[in-house]
């Protein structure tokens, strides 16, 4: 990593700074598989190189009391970013065991390489204004031009605004004061946006050149259908907060409410494989994060010559709701991952982290005396309901943390206790243990007697009757 800067001060409140910096690394890898293993006589080498260079120019000014009690600061600048990445790898199956050289390859060694280059040019500015040291307004603006987007969508602009008001300082400047038990009061509000572009070469469909099993040159198509008209992502954040201090700063309270919407997200939407593609790159989605955070601090013991003790407690709650996925394309759900018979699925008007899956097949006729009971098959085993239903959500209902800090002269001790409240999980470990009969629940009381599952079986008349068929513990746990 290399950096350098030049700075020139025009006055005591205005200066110009020019910076240049580079982040460079090169990684060489070598892998040897000796004879006798499952990957015997394999040899590979690779070299990965990465370079990112940034050039920045920044004009800064800071001055108080420009007009009466009105002061502030400003910045105007620009940045040029140039990023390059390359990878070259060679893989060989060895003719002579343990002679690790690509010249010892059986046939022609396999070669893989990749090259990426991306540039982002940016201009940015900020303006901060304060009056009397008790009200502050900050405005920022940035515009990026990314080489990863087409010319029509290459430019994206994202501003931010923040306002804060220190009531205690305002009253002090006016010759008044807060009640003696209230030391400090500050209110704040902000709105900010942020943009994000694509990785390089995600606009146009192309082909990869390689060889088939007999060494013939072939061209293969990417399974991702790209769209050159996609735009940059846009994230919008709104926040309100208050900071209060009591009893000469012995107690403090900080409260924040926020809402964030991630829109125009760049996602790979699954497609029907018969179309020739597996996924399609689109702008879609509106995921909203909304919640609050409360942080309280108490300085209980503050004598610097004796034991000091302070407690900081934090509670936060976040609601992550999916406002829209891609309704204009008729898409209202999107699978984020699967395991066993479960799906983490995003659905329109649902919540991020919703868990979907199947339940036991049960009697659904409310007029039946067996309503709600498990329907077993002819062998007395539970059956899977084919309907996919929501089972829960993996997100916590709240997060709690309490930090205690103790100080005595030159010694300090700090410990944290935190908790995650709510949220469901699926334990693959338990499923595996139950399937192989090593979980305690598969041997109640240390024994494995035959059991009769509490449920009903269908009758030839279309009704139900109580199950009486006994099965082994192994049959049951393999079935469920």
């Amino acid at each position: 990593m290399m950096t350098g800067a030049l700075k020139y001060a025009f006055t005591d409140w205005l200066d110009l700074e020019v910076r240049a910096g580079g982040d460079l690394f090169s990684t060489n890898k070598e892998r040897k598989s000796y004879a006798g293993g499952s990957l015997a006589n394999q040899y590979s080498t690779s070299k990965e190189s990465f370079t990112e260079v940034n050039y920045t120019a920044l004009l800064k000014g800071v001055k108080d009391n420009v007009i009466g009690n009105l002061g502030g600061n400003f910045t105007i600048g620009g940045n040029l970013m140039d990023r390059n990445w390359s990878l070259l790898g060679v893989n060989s199956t060895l003719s002579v065991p343990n002679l690790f050289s690509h010249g010892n390859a059986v046939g022609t060694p396999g070669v893989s390489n990749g090259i990426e280059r991306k540039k982002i040019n940016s201009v940015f500015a900020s303006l901060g204004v304060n009056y009397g040291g008790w009200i502050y307004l900050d405005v920022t603006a940035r515009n990026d031009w990314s080489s990863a987007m087409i010319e029509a969508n290459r430019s994206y602009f994202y501003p931010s605004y923040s306002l804060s008001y220190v009531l205690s300082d305002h009253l002090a400047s006016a010759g008044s004061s807060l009640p003696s038990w209230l030391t400090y009061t500050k209110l704040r509000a902000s709105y900010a946006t942020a943009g994000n572009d694509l990785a390089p070469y995600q606009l146009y469909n192309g082909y990869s050149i390689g060889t088939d099993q007999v060494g013939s040159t072939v061209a293969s198509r990417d399974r991702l259908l790209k769209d050159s008209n996609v735009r940059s992502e846009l994230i919008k954040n709104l926040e309100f907060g208050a900071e209060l201090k009591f009893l000469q700063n012995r107690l403090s309270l900080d409260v924040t409410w926020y809402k964030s919407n991630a829109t125009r997200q760049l996602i790979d939407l699954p497609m029907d494989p018969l179309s020739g593609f597996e996924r399609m790159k689109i702008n879609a989605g509106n995921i909203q994060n909304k919640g609050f955070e409360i942080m309280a601090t108490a300085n209980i013991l503050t004598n610097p010559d004796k034991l000091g003790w302070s407690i900081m407690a934090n509670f936060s709650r976040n609601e992550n709701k999916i406002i829209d996925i891609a309704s204009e394309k008729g898409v209202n759900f999107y699978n984020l991952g699967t395991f066993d018979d479960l799906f983490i699925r995003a659905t329109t008007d649902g919540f991020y982290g919703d868990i979907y899956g199947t339940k036991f097949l049960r009697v659904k006729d409310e007029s039946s005396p067996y309503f709600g009971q498990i329907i077993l098959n002819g062998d007395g085993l539970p059956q899977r309901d084919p309907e996919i239903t929501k089972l829960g959500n993996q997100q916590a209902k709240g997060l709690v943390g309490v930090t205690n800090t103790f100080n005595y002269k030159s010694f300090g001790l700090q410990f944290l206790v935190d908790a995650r409240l709510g949220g469901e999980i699926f334990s693959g470990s338990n499923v595996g243990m139950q399937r192989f009969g090593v979980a305690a629940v598969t041997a109640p009381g240390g024994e494995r007697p035959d059991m009769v599952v509490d449920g009903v079986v269908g009758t030839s008349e279309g009704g139900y009757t109580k199950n009486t068929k006994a099965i082994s513990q192994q049959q049951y746990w393999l079935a469920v």
Side-chain angles (χ1 to χ4, degrees):
M1 180 178 290
M2 299 182 297
T3 59
L6 294 174
K7 187 175 183 179
Y8 180 77
F10 297 100
T11 67
D12 61 349
W13 61 270
L14 181 66
D15 62 70
L16 175 67
E17 183 177 6
V18 178
R19 296 194 299 262
D23 185 7
L24 307 90
F25 72 80
S26 180
T27 304
N28 295 297
K29 297 181 181 179
E30 183 181 37
R31 181 177 179 179
K32 300 177 180 180
S33 298
Y34 289 85
S38 59
L39 298 175
N41 299 322
Q42 299 295 313
Y43 179 55
S44 64
T45 57
S46 66
K47 180 178 181 179
E48 180 183 9
S49 299
F50 174 87
T51 303
E52 181 176 311
V53 180
N54 285 274
Y55 302 96
T56 305
L58 189 63
L59 180 66
K60 297 183 294 183
V62 180
K63 192 171 181 64
D64 293 327
N65 304 319
V66 177
I67 303 175
N69 291 328
L70 184 67
N73 61 82
F74 75 89
T75 60
I76 300 175
N79 186 82
L80 304 176
M81 188 276 286
D82 190 350
R83 181 184 300 157
N84 292 272
W85 173 86
S86 64
L87 175 67
L88 177 63
V90 182
N91 301 279
S92 298
T93 298
L94 302 179
S95 176
V96 178
N98 301 338
L99 178 57
F100 296 102
S101 169
H102 292 300
N104 182 36
V106 176
T108 304
V111 179
S112 60
N113 71 304
I115 298 175
E116 289 185 359
R117 186 177 185 186
K118 180 178 178 179
K119 289 186 175 183
I120 297 180
N121 297 334
S122 308
V123 293
F124 49 85
S126 69
L127 175 65
V129 179
N130 76 83
Y131 182 80
W134 50 266
I135 188 165
Y136 301 85
L137 173 65
D138 293 285
V139 180
T140 70
R142 183 182 180 106
N143 201 102
D144 290 342
W145 290 265
S146 171
S147 66
M149 314 294 287
I150 63 171
E151 186 173 356
N153 298 330
R154 187 164 293 166
S155 171
Y156 49 99
F157 175 72
Y158 43 103
S160 72
Y161 316 89
S162 67
L163 178 67
S164 59
Y165 170 53
V166 185
L167 174 61
S168 52
D169 291 352
H170 184 196
L171 294 177
S173 67
S176 183
S177 64
L178 294 167
S180 58
W181 52 268
L182 182 57
T183 309
Y184 178 84
T185 302
K186 178 181 178 180
L187 306 176
R188 62 182 184 271
S190 66
Y191 176 78
T193 59
N196 187 38
D197 63 342
L198 282 166
Y201 318 130
Q202 295 293 305
L203 296 178
Y204 302 103
N205 294 295
Y207 294 87
S208 300
I209 304 300
T211 56
D212 60 13
Q213 291 85 351
V214 297
S216 301
T217 300
V218 295
S220 58
R221 186 173 59 185
D222 193 350
R223 306 300 289 177
L224 173 67
L225 177 60
K226 300 172 183 176
D227 182 1
S228 61
N229 294 312
V230 294
R231 301 172 61 193
S232 60
E233 296 180 335
L234 180 63
I235 301 174
K236 298 175 283 187
N237 298 281
L238 177 65
E239 182 178 306
F240 297 97
E243 183 179 352
L244 306 172
K245 296 182 180 180
F246 308 90
L247 304 177
Q248 301 302 313
N249 300 328
R250 294 292 292 268
L251 301 175
S252 65
L253 181 68
D254 195 308
V255 181
T256 302
W257 177 91
Y258 62 89
K259 186 180 77 166
S260 173
N261 288 78
T263 63
R264 295 199 323 237
Q265 295 179 88
L266 293 162
I267 64 175
D268 296 340
L269 190 68
M271 296 180 63
D272 186 340
L274 294 177
S275 66
F277 297 93
E278 295 178 354
R279 295 162 290 121
M280 174 173 57
K281 180 75 71 177
I282 64 170
N283 279 117
N286 181 359
I287 297 181
Q288 177 178 279
N289 279 287
K290 183 172 67 174
F292 64 89
E293 183 174 5
I294 302 174
M295 183 172 64
T297 302
N299 297 310
I300 300 173
L301 302 177
T302 59
N303 191 329
D305 298 324
K306 296 182 180 180
L307 179 65
W309 177 24
S310 65
I311 299 177
M312 183 180 70
N314 183 84
F315 176 79
S316 63
R317 178 179 173 85
N318 181 70
E319 180 185 86
N320 197 330
K321 187 173 183 179
I322 301 168
I323 307 299
D324 182 52
I325 297 179
S327 56
E328 71 281 0
K329 296 183 179 295
V331 177
N332 292 305
F333 74 89
Y334 180 68
N335 285 333
L336 302 173
T338 62
F339 184 83
D340 200 73
D341 202 23
L342 296 178
F343 310 86
I344 304 299
R345 176 176 290 180
T347 60
T348 299
D349 289 329
F351 293 93
Y352 190 86
D354 280 346
I355 304 172
Y356 284 78
T358 58
K359 298 181 178 181
F360 288 140
L361 185 63
R362 295 179 181 272
V363 178
K364 300 179 181 179
D365 183 3
E366 296 184 8
S367 63
S368 172
Y370 301 110
F371 173 69
Q373 295 196 32
I374 298 175
I375 302 175
L376 308 174
N377 62 18
D379 295 324
L381 296 171
Q383 301 180 85
R384 172 183 180 271
D385 190 331
E387 182 181 357
I388 303 297
T389 59
K390 180 180 174 180
L391 303 177
N393 187 281
Q394 63 183 9
Q395 299 296 324
K397 299 296 186 292
L399 301 175
V400 180
V402 179
T403 301
N404 281 269
T405 302
F406 297 91
N407 294 288
Y408 181 74
K409 295 184 178 180
S410 299
F411 298 93
L413 173 65
Q414 184 180 84
F415 66 89
L416 167 68
V417 178
D418 60 3
R420 175 188 173 100
L421 309 177
E424 287 79 25
I425 64 171
F426 172 77
S427 175
S429 299
N430 278 342
V431 171
M433 292 171 65
Q434 292 165 4
R435 184 170 296 162
F436 291 104
V438 294
V441 70
T442 64
E447 299 179 352
R448 287 194 172 95
D450 287 349
M451 59 187 294
V452 176
V453 180
D454 184 17
V456 297
V457 294
T459 64
S460 58
E461 292 80 14
Y464 300 99
T465 185
K466 289 295 291 185
N467 174 53
T468 59
K469 187 175 181 62
I471 60 172
S472 67
Q473 294 281 341
Q474 182 178 8
Q475 287 176 301
Y476 177 82
W477 291 109
L478 285 176
V480 300

